Amino acid sequence: MSRCLRAAFDIGSGATKLMVAEVEKGKVMKELFAKEIPVSFAIDWKQSSDGNLSEAIQEEGLSVLRQLVGECERLRVPREAARCAIATEVFRKAQRAGNGAGYLEKVLKELALPVLSQHEEAEVGFRTALALADVPNVICASFQITMRGDDGLQGYLGGLGTGVVTSICVEEVQKRTMAPKVTPNPVDSKAADELVVALKTRLDVVPSWLKQSVVTAIGGPNSMFCVAFEALGKRQYRPSEIREVLKSVVDQTDEELSSRAFCQGELREPPGYIVPKIALLLAVMEHCEISEVHFCSTIGSCPGLLISDEYFQTLENARLKMISVLARQLERLRVFRLQAPIANRGWCFGGFGGALLGGATFAQGVLGLRRALLIAPVVAGVAPQAARAAREGFTETPSGLQYKVLLDGDGPIPTTGQRIKADYTGWLDDFESDKKFDSSRDRRQPLEFQVGIGKVIKGWDEALLSMKVGERRQIIVPPQLGYGSRGIGPIPPGATLYFDVELKSIATR
């Protein structure tokens, strides 16, 4: 195949990542953009009382994806068969009785971003390690350990992420309540040893192919592998060295750990996660008798996804796959309907233990399936706002935003978090209508704010993150990118907004 431009997203349990690169013949030839932004899905799910991801974390995740999709627009990554995402284990957990699958449906519907099915996660992770490994006969470790054998990919582990291990440390070992923003620090040496033992009891019997192996470990700045690398100052390490690292981080306060190398720089998680991460790494290495780990830094599983031609599909194929998933959910709903009266009395049928945890959970699961089925016509086609043809002369983005450039700019494009100044006028009904609701031009004072972090409506963030200084646009903002069903002041619920916006400047400091 000829060189092509692709964007790979990794929607992880703790961060959402994007890598944009030129790819040719199964190799990443030129990296153009790479970024990961923390989004704590795992912690949110763990703190949930009903198995659902909260509305707040879903909106935070979608907001981050909108920013990253904006980078794809800026780099002119094609929308069809050039953008793809992989999602990780927290969405499997949340969909058993909650809304993990529903969130991924939102990603497809709102951002036109296909998400691979969960069973392909291990394959993509392995391919990432294969692209980065410096050892033969690669065995890959991220959240699970995989190896290519005669019978295909073999896997081990999965499910013991930072959030889960932290809760075990706090609740089971320290006998405290897992509250928001809790920290286990300082963790004394006895508690640290108990945590390692507790984790080992949760690990399965070790397969023969894993014992005495050298493992290529992939991860970003907040991975347990990177924490060990920063603590030791080298990328290859043995179990005995990790035990020494654990000894060095016990009896330390958050403040003391914050000064260490593994808590410095961008994208680092709080110091409260350091002991759980090192304890997990040690437990896995000792239990599995891994002889050595070789750490390779990566942006999630993005490199492995980028080089996998078969995963980049048309949006129509992605929608058809989603419809197939919804059809299977409908069949399960039909089968479960007869058992509903019994399940609602708190019983649980054998074989359904992972999905039905008593009456209340069953009811939530059924309601979740019904909600998914109700949106199937939207997934099968397009969102209602996008069902209308784009206004003549306007370009429509995957989110439903429409824009037309009135005046080209010659300055830089702002990046997320930069402070900008913009002049604007806003109307209801249409441009230049008699329903003008606001104008910085009338006040002779441009609006100044940080772009891309939710200080303004979503439509504004999306538009301005792709504009050059000096550029002027008309933008049509649908309700879901404006004030939605709530409205505000003179803007009624469900209103489409019309803006004339000019990017005046980007702050230099």
Side-chain angles (χ1 to χ4, degrees):
M1 61 175 284
S2 59
R3 185 173 294 199
C4 60
L5 186 62
R6 283 180 178 167
F9 294 78
D10 184 333
I11 308 172
S13 299
T16 297
K17 305 111 179 170
L18 167 65
M19 178 180 264
V20 178
E22 294 178 356
V23 178
E24 185 176 19
K25 295 181 179 178
K27 293 184 179 180
V28 175
M29 306 302 293
K30 183 179 180 182
E31 181 184 309
L32 301 178
F33 180 86
K35 187 170 186 177
E36 59 180 286
I37 302 174
V39 184
S40 300
F41 284 110
I43 297 296
D44 179 90
W45 178 81
K46 176 62 183 177
Q47 293 172 347
S48 165
S49 61
D50 59 5
N52 281 293
L53 297 169
S54 70
E55 290 296 326
I57 201 69
Q58 290 187 68
E59 181 50 41
E60 181 183 347
L62 287 170
S63 177
V64 166
L65 281 172
R66 290 184 199 108
Q67 295 177 37
L68 296 178
V69 167
E71 296 292 346
C72 294
E73 297 292 324
R74 179 178 66 83
L75 293 167
R76 302 185 188 280
V77 180
R79 297 175 192 172
E80 284 285 334
R83 304 178 188 181
C84 190
I86 186 75
T88 49
E89 51 98 24
V90 71
F91 301 101
R92 275 195 302 276
K93 291 178 177 179
Q95 76 181 38
R96 288 173 187 163
N99 54 6
Y103 174 77
L104 302 181
E105 290 165 16
K106 289 181 184 179
V107 172
L108 173 62
K109 184 177 73 169
E110 179 179 331
L111 300 174
L113 181 61
V115 183
L116 297 183
S117 61
Q118 305 281 285
H119 73 271
E120 291 162 314
E121 178 189 345
E123 176 66 37
V124 175
F126 183 83
R127 295 185 190 189
T128 297
L130 195 65
L132 302 171
D134 58 356
V135 295
N137 304 318
V138 174
I139 297 175
C140 163
S142 51
F143 275 103
Q144 55 190 328
I145 303 176
T146 51
M147 175 186 178
R148 182 93 68 201
D150 294 337
D151 298 325
L153 208 62
Q154 303 177 66
Y156 179 77
L157 291 176
L160 285 177
T162 300
V164 174
V165 176
T166 302
S167 68
I168 294 171
C169 181
V170 173
E171 295 176 340
E172 295 187 22
V173 177
Q174 296 179 324
K175 310 297 183 186
R176 297 192 290 131
T177 301
M178 187 69 180
K181 299 183 179 179
V182 70
T183 176
N185 293 322
V187 180
D188 61 37
S189 57
K190 182 175 181 292
D193 290 339
E194 288 179 4
L195 177 59
V196 172
V197 172
L199 295 176
K200 288 180 180 180
T201 64
R202 286 168 164 79
L203 301 179
D204 291 336
V205 175
V206 184
S208 58
W209 56 263
L210 184 52
K211 291 184 177 181
Q212 300 305 313
S213 63
V214 176
V215 173
T216 296
I218 58 174
N222 61 359
S223 70
M224 62 185 182
F225 309 113
C226 189
V227 171
F229 156 61
E230 294 280 10
L232 291 166
K234 60 179 184 178
R235 295 182 182 274
Q236 295 83 34
Y237 36 80
R238 297 178 176 275
S240 58
E241 293 173 299
I242 299 305
R243 186 161 284 281
E244 291 302 312
V245 172
L246 184 61
K247 290 180 181 178
S248 74
V249 296
V250 298
D251 297 317
Q252 301 284 299
T253 65
D254 281 359
E255 185 177 3
E256 288 169 328
L257 287 175
S258 294
S259 64
R260 301 281 294 274
F262 41 67
C263 286
Q264 303 297 309
E266 293 184 337
L267 304 175
R268 298 307 179 100
E269 289 185 318
Y273 293 153
I274 297 302
V275 172
K277 284 178 183 291
I278 295 299
L280 176 59
L281 178 55
L282 179 61
V284 171
M285 292 185 73
E286 289 187 343
H287 179 76
C288 297
E289 302 176 41
I290 294 171
S291 62
E292 193 169 78
V293 164
H294 289 206
F295 168 60
C296 296
S297 181
T298 182
I299 302 295
S301 292
C302 293
L305 185 54
L306 283 170
I307 63 173
S308 303
D309 296 346
E310 66 271 35
Y311 293 141
F312 287 84
Q313 56 189 304
T314 65
L315 291 175
E316 183 60 26
N317 284 341
R319 290 187 178 108
L320 289 174
K321 283 188 176 182
M322 187 66 73
I323 294 169
S324 176
V325 170
L326 293 174
R328 290 196 297 272
Q329 289 177 333
L330 176 59
E331 178 61 20
R332 286 199 298 271
L333 180 59
R334 184 188 68 79
V335 172
F336 289 163
R337 188 172 289 138
L338 290 176
Q339 285 95 28
I342 299 176
N344 281 332
R345 289 200 296 269
W347 290 83
C348 182
F349 280 85
F352 296 121
L356 308 180
L357 304 177
T361 304
F362 179 85
Q364 290 155 4
V366 171
L367 288 173
L369 293 177
R370 291 184 63 190
R371 284 196 296 271
L373 292 166
L374 288 172
I375 66 167
V378 176
V379 177
V382 291
Q385 303 89 313
R388 302 185 298 271
R391 187 167 180 159
E392 185 176 353
F394 282 72
T395 298
E396 184 172 11
T397 72
S399 69
L401 181 75
Q402 296 183 44
Y403 70 91
K404 180 170 72 174
V405 177
L406 302 178
L407 179 66
D408 287 326
D410 57 3
I413 297 173
T415 58
T416 299
Q418 282 191 307
R419 185 167 291 278
I420 67 168
K421 289 185 179 181
D423 256 335
Y424 69 95
T425 302
W427 298 268
L428 299 174
D429 290 352
D430 206 344
F431 300 103
E432 304 296 337
S433 75
D434 59 358
K435 293 187 178 181
K436 180 168 66 174
F437 59 82
D438 195 16
S439 176
S440 66
R441 296 184 178 99
D442 290 350
R443 295 190 297 272
R444 300 181 183 274
Q445 183 177 2
L447 180 65
E448 182 175 350
F449 64 98
Q450 285 179 279
V451 68
I453 62 172
K455 297 291 186 182
V456 292
I457 58 175
K458 298 169 189 174
W460 264 54
D461 273 340
E462 180 181 340
L464 286 157
L465 281 171
S466 63
M467 293 173 63
K468 295 180 179 180
V469 170
E471 184 176 338
R472 185 169 180 173
R473 290 184 183 182
Q474 286 183 334
I475 61 174
I476 302 175
V477 181
Q480 77 273 15
L481 301 181
Y483 294 97
S485 60
R486 69 186 189 277
I488 187 172
I491 299 172
T496 295
L497 309 177
Y498 300 80
F499 288 98
D500 180 317
V501 183
E502 180 180 2
L503 179 56
K504 304 292 287 187
S505 65
I506 300 174
T508 56
R509 57 183 176 81

